[in-house]
Amino acid sequence: MSDNSVGGDVFFVLVGAILVFAMHGGFAFLEVGTVRQKNQVNALVKILVDFAISTVVYFFVGYTFAYGTTFFVNAATLSGGGAGFELQGLTLVKFFFLTTFAAAIPAIISGGIAERMKFLPQCMATVALVGIAYPLFEGIVWNGNFGIQAWLEATFGSGFHDFAGSVVVHAVGGWIALAAVLLLGARRGRYDRNGKPVGIPPSSLPWLAMGSWMLCVGWFGFNVMTAGSLGAASGLVAINSLMAMVGGILTALIAGRNDPGFVHNGALAGLVAVCAGSDIMHPMGSLVVGGVAGVVFVKGFEICQNKLKVDDVLGVWPLHGICGAWGGIAAGIFGLEAFWGLGGVSFMSQLIGTVAGAVYALVAGFIVYGALKVLMGLRLSPEDEHIGADLAIHKISANPEHDLGR
């Protein structure tokens, strides 16, 4: 490869990494706008600290688990194309890009466990999840570890196809979050003595909306730049992402009866679902996939909160867990040539890979958060939960000057 082509790939992947890094601000502000004001500082700190922990743990442990590459070599080898490393640090920016994916796992979980989770146990959970649990599944799907992809291809004609992580990132994060939420229990006052839901409105719809917009913009780096090089980049991925996003918005608008929270999360539902097949589906298929995801999120959120009494604050299980699973399966339908897709995908492989990912994540979530519950406890005390995580953990509120009455 020429220096110019390698440099172009380095810049391409780096821009993608920066865009996905910016999405973590979107996760933060989406949570800030949804939780009560007394928990806003905690939302901001959690996402930033989890990203820092994720980067360190993924650098030293997780990336090696997934791809067998260690960074315990000199800088000349890292950046100059030594054994296992591409020229001009291309491998390094790919690591940065994949780190932003790995850090999405605790960022997703953060929204479900908001307002009553202790800070230190969540930091410890991030270490376990990003260091071991997530990269093990990531390596199976994206690096062919343990021969599972080879078996699926030999048995069904194609391996499990998850181009940008509907299952690897989103479903895994969402199903881990479900385990954490179930172990934590509902927020104080969320349900009355008869089990009837007590409404807790979002603290700021503008913050929520800004979080959604930041995520939507960054998602085009999340999906398009998963290609990993300029030569492999495809406009089809961009248009499929766009169509799924607008499909999710429109159906969530209708199913959610104009509720702004559903509308802004409907965009994310569509984008979650399209990740897996964004490189092989037709734009009309992506519109359908995103549209279905918008309805799935709205109905899933209502069932989760009102029927199942699962207090998943931001609805991360229906948004990421269920819509991510739908996206994994949908790639095996709308990616087929019969639906104007590019083909090269198997419905059975998609079904098996998706179900396996959800089950694996749920079990991993119960193991990690269950162990932490026994060893450290997960919940804030009733007193701390009453005053809010901002004052209980960080000793400052979102508006300290206002609190002082100045």
Side-chain angles (χ1 to χ4, degrees):
M1 296 175 69
S2 68
D3 290 345
N4 286 339
S5 64
V6 176
D9 290 345
V10 169
F11 185 71
F12 177 76
V13 178
L14 177 60
V15 171
I18 293 168
L19 283 169
V20 185
F21 176 43
M23 289 177 69
H24 288 264
F27 281 121
F29 286 113
L30 189 71
E31 185 173 335
V32 165
T34 305
V35 300
R36 287 168 288 189
Q37 191 174 45
K38 62 184 179 179
N39 297 295
Q40 289 180 326
V41 171
N42 182 241
L44 293 169
V45 173
K46 274 192 304 179
I47 301 297
L48 189 61
V49 171
D50 277 338
F51 187 90
I53 293 172
S54 296
T55 300
V56 173
V57 172
Y58 196 64
F59 182 85
F60 285 105
V61 181
Y63 192 78
T64 302
F65 265 112
Y67 301 101
T69 299
T70 176
F71 296 103
F72 290 97
V73 294
N74 60 44
T77 300
L78 290 176
S79 61
F85 294 93
E86 297 171 88
L87 293 171
Q88 295 182 226
L90 180 56
T91 300
L92 301 181
V93 292
K94 287 181 177 179
F95 160 78
F96 181 14
F97 184 70
L98 288 169
T99 296
T100 61
F101 278 49
I105 299 297
I108 289 168
I109 296 167
S110 176
I113 62 177
E115 301 200 308
R116 75 275 202 204
M117 178 79 182
K118 289 181 179 179
F119 188 62
L120 180 58
Q122 175 54 21
C123 292
M124 298 304 295
T126 297
V127 172
L129 294 171
V130 178
I132 300 173
Y134 167 75
L136 283 177
F137 189 74
E138 175 193 14
I140 289 172
V141 177
W142 286 342
N143 199 46
N145 295 351
F146 306 115
I148 295 174
Q149 285 283 39
W151 175 80
L152 288 172
E153 185 172 357
T155 306
F156 302 107
S158 297
F160 176 59
H161 186 91
D162 190 2
F163 180 69
S166 286
V167 176
V168 173
V169 178
H170 297 286
V172 166
W175 286 88
I176 291 174
L178 175 62
V181 169
L182 291 174
L183 287 168
L184 266 174
R187 290 169 290 176
R188 294 176 69 252
R190 180 64 180 91
Y191 302 98
D192 64 20
R193 293 181 179 178
N194 299 316
K196 184 178 179 180
V198 177
I200 299 177
S203 59
S204 173
L205 285 170
W207 283 124
L208 184 157
M210 190 182 82
S212 175
W213 273 106
M214 288 179 69
L215 285 164
C216 287
V217 172
W219 222 295
F220 288 88
F222 194 99
N223 284 1
V224 175
M225 288 158 174
T226 290
S229 68
L230 282 168
S234 171
L236 181 65
V237 178
I239 297 306
N240 281 338
S241 301
L242 178 67
M243 296 301 282
M245 182 189 76
V246 299
I249 292 170
L250 295 175
T251 57
L253 173 70
I254 297 168
R257 299 172 294 280
N258 303 325
D259 183 288
F262 284 140
V263 171
H264 285 91
N265 278 284
L268 309 181
L271 286 163
V272 164
V274 80
C275 288
S278 57
D279 63 326
I280 57 173
M281 295 192 295
H282 189 280
M284 288 190 290
S286 295
L287 182 64
V288 173
V289 170
V292 170
V295 176
V296 166
F297 170 69
V298 172
K299 298 305 178 184
F301 184 87
E302 292 175 343
I303 292 171
C304 177
Q305 297 285 340
N306 301 330
K307 299 292 179 63
L308 301 179
K309 306 295 189 298
V310 176
D311 188 17
D312 177 352
V313 181
L314 268 68
V316 298
W317 176 50
L319 178 61
H320 297 274
I322 301 177
C323 289
W326 157 241
I329 295 170
I333 302 172
F334 293 95
L336 298 172
E337 293 182 22
F339 290 90
W340 291 6
L342 295 181
V345 67
S346 162
F347 175 77
M348 285 305 301
S349 290
Q350 294 306 116
L351 180 62
I352 291 170
T354 299
V355 172
V359 171
Y360 171 79
L362 187 63
V363 171
F366 274 116
I367 291 173
V368 171
Y369 283 95
L372 288 169
K373 184 174 184 177
V374 172
L375 296 173
M376 307 175 66
L378 297 178
R379 284 194 73 131
L380 294 170
S381 68
E383 295 77 15
D384 285 347
E385 188 176 342
H386 176 71
I387 66 173
D390 293 358
L391 293 178
I393 297 173
H394 308 289
K395 313 305 179 188
I396 192 168
S397 72
N399 300 285
E401 186 177 16
H402 178 268
D403 293 341
L404 292 173
R406 296 176 182 173

